[in-house]
Amino acid sequence: MQRALELAAPGAGRTGDNPSVGCVIVKDGVIVGEGATALGGRPHAEEVALAQAGEKARGAVAYVTLEPCAKRSTGAASCSEILIQHGIAHAFIAVGDPHPLVAGAGAERLRAAGVLVDVGLMGEQARALNAAFFAQWD
């Protein structure tokens, strides 16, 4: 998760309406994909990391600094959906997303698909990274 936070840090305040998120995909103890939310907010961190990981994502662990989205304003597949499609087995999420389009729905979608989900790893640091984003929903 520390690496995911490091990836997200440079984008803080530079991702439009979206928070800056980091995602690291690990398979058998090796990083196979990593990414951060692009400047302007698209693509999302999970999309970047999964594109890099490719088939190596199947059965892997994802470390994400913010709960993966459950719905996209663009109508594209959500990050929780693409994590499932790529076969992620376990997701560590630093902090839940307070946005009304997510607010627990991303983690629930992962769980419903059989993905192990743990929330809270380095949550304080992830929340601090996107303090302005959280302030608008608190």
Side-chain angles (χ1 to χ4, degrees):
M1 189 64 76
Q2 179 63 44
R3 177 64 181 149
L5 286 165
E6 290 168 1
L7 291 167
R14 303 174 66 202
T15 53
D17 293 337
N18 290 336
S20 185
V21 177
C23 179
V24 176
I25 310 293
V26 177
K27 178 90 176 250
D28 299 325
V30 176
I31 294 174
V32 295
E34 60 182 26
T37 306
L39 300 182
R42 297 275 191 283
H44 288 183
E46 297 92 330
E47 293 173 289
V48 175
L50 288 166
Q52 191 177 93
E55 282 301 312
K56 293 176 184 172
R58 190 153 308 283
V61 178
Y63 294 86
V64 189
T65 61
L66 184 72
E67 179 182 4
C69 64
K71 187 174 181 181
R72 300 285 286 269
S73 59
T74 63
S78 69
C79 290
S80 56
E81 290 171 320
I82 62 171
L83 286 164
I84 293 164
Q85 290 167 3
H86 279 80
I88 290 295
H90 195 160
F92 285 93
I93 300 167
V95 64
D97 188 336
H99 191 286
L101 289 178
V102 183
E108 273 311 304
R109 177 175 285 142
L110 292 169
R111 287 185 182 105
V115 177
L116 295 173
V117 176
D118 286 294
V119 180
L121 179 63
M122 300 187 79
E124 287 183 30
Q125 295 91 326
R127 190 174 176 85
L129 178 69
N130 287 297
F133 173 78
F134 281 95
Q136 64 185 322
W137 306 112
D138 286 341

